[in-house]
């Protein structure tokens, strides 16, 4: 079964001419409640690529109708470059707000691919291997899954404000996702440590069209609404 799966994935990828390229993805944000899945806001992913350098930004916020109950926003930005098929993160920032109060506001600087310095004064030295931030791991995964179509496990050292941790991403199979009456073929990736599931679209340069995340008793889903590339 595994051989059949990797063969199909290889056939998909040989039809692709992959390069890290700019795009804008607009998503609907849903939360699972006792009453069912409820649309609570929106998010936008923007990848700006200039030659081999990139700026990757996301912004999520609750809708204006819900702000009286829960006013939340989070912005992330990752800066780096791609060299010989390897993604190299250099800078990562996060700003998270609830109502008018800033809950998180920090920066990470990655130096020479082997150390991370946080704006809170902490520093970590890592083991040899792939080092990414919480956001650029999506880009690294999309690159690596195409470089290694027969691989079903990808491990990264992911940096955040608390340090650097190994995170394992497992290729679990295929799933057809229906978005606005369009069927989209996706590869399902699961990260047990984060309780995170990604549906990467073959059609959309292996970027996520569906993101499912569990945070304790809360469950959230991002579903692609619109995907645009520069003309």
């Amino acid at each position: 079964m595994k051989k059949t799966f990797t063969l199909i994935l290889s056939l998909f990828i040989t039809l692709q001419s992959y390069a890290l390229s700019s795009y804008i993805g607009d998503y609907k944000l849903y939360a699972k409640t006792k009453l069912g899945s409820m649309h609570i806001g929106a998010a936008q992913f923007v990848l700006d690529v200039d030659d081999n350098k990139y700026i990757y930004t996301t912004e999520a916020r609750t809708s204006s109708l819900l702000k009286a109950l829960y006013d939340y926003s989070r912005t992330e930005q990752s800066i780096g470059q791609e060299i010989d098929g390897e993604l190299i993160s250099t800078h990562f920032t996060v700003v998270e707000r609830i109502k008018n109060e800033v809950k998180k506001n920090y920066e990470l600087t990655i130096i020479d691919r082997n150390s991370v310095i946080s704006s809170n004064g902490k520093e970590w030295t890592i083991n040899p291997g792939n080092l990414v931030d919480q956001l650029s791991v999506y880009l690294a995964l999309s690159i690596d899954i195409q470089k290694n179509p027969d691989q079903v496990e990808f491990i990264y050292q992911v940096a955040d404000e608390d340090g650097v941790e190994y995170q394992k991403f497992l290729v679990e199979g295929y799933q057809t996702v229906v978005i606005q009456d369009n069927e989209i073929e996706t590869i399902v990736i699961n990260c047990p440590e984060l309780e995170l599931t990604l549906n990467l679209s073959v059609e959309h340069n292996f970027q996520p069209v569906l993101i499912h995340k569990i945070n304790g008793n809360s469950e959230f889903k991002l579903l692609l609404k619109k995907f645009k590339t520069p003309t």
Side-chain angles (χ1 to χ4, degrees):
M1 184 67 180
K2 182 183 290 186
K3 289 183 179 179
T4 302
F5 170 73
T6 55
L7 176 60
I8 294 172
L9 179 57
S10 298
L11 291 174
F12 265 125
I13 291 173
T14 55
L15 298 176
Q16 303 289 314
S17 177
Y18 178 79
L20 201 61
S21 56
S22 301
Y23 79 92
I24 299 174
D26 293 318
Y27 294 78
K28 290 183 177 181
L29 174 61
Y30 294 87
K32 188 174 182 180
T33 69
K34 295 180 180 179
L35 301 177
S37 183
M38 182 173 64
H39 181 206
I40 64 169
Q44 186 176 72
F45 286 48
V46 179
L47 176 61
D48 186 8
V49 179
D50 183 7
D51 196 11
N52 67 330
K53 298 179 181 179
Y54 72 85
I55 300 176
Y56 196 26
T57 305
T58 67
E59 183 176 358
R61 62 179 61 250
T62 49
S63 66
S64 56
L65 294 177
L66 292 178
K67 283 188 175 182
L69 297 175
Y70 187 63
D71 186 359
Y72 173 86
S73 68
R74 180 182 174 98
T75 301
E76 300 176 332
Q77 185 177 81
S78 176
I79 299 174
Q81 56 188 325
E82 180 192 1
I83 299 178
D84 297 329
E86 181 183 1
L87 196 78
I88 301 173
S89 302
T90 56
H91 197 71
F92 178 63
T93 60
V94 172
V95 178
E96 184 178 84
R97 292 183 174 90
I98 297 178
K99 292 188 177 179
N100 294 322
E101 183 179 354
V102 176
K103 292 294 185 179
K104 290 187 179 182
N105 185 3
Y106 68 90
E107 301 180 16
L108 299 177
T109 302
I110 298 174
I111 301 174
D112 297 330
R113 288 185 278 184
N114 60 13
S115 64
V116 182
I117 299 176
S118 173
S119 56
N120 63 17
K122 296 181 180 179
E123 183 174 353
W124 303 275
T125 300
I126 70 154
N127 298 319
N130 293 332
L131 173 61
V132 292
D133 55 61
Q134 291 175 298
L135 185 54
S136 66
V137 68
Y138 294 148
L139 301 180
L141 189 60
S142 68
I143 292 172
D144 291 343
I145 200 171
Q146 294 177 81
K147 285 168 50 183
N148 305 285
D150 59 343
Q151 191 170 323
V152 294
E153 179 180 291
F154 298 88
I155 299 175
Y156 301 97
Q157 297 179 86
V158 182
D160 65 13
E161 64 177 332
D162 298 317
V164 180
E165 292 186 356
Y166 282 97
Q167 292 176 1
K168 183 185 300 182
F169 291 79
L170 306 174
V171 181
E172 295 196 333
Y174 291 101
Q175 183 179 20
T176 301
V177 177
V178 179
I179 299 177
Q180 296 179 347
D181 297 326
N182 294 320
E183 292 188 349
I184 300 176
E185 297 301 322
T186 69
I187 299 169
V188 182
I189 309 290
N190 179 256
C191 179
E193 292 91 346
L194 296 177
E195 296 187 278
L196 171 72
T197 302
L198 306 171
N199 285 72
L200 305 183
S201 168
V202 177
E203 180 184 349
H204 300 85
N205 272 352
F206 291 81
Q207 296 303 312
V209 295
L210 176 61
I211 301 173
H212 181 252
K213 179 74 171 74
I214 297 175
N215 287 334
N217 295 325
S218 302
E219 192 171 340
F220 300 95
K221 182 171 69 174
L222 282 173
L223 183 65
L224 184 69
K225 177 182 177 183
K226 184 187 299 182
F227 188 93
K228 297 184 295 183
T229 56
T231 56

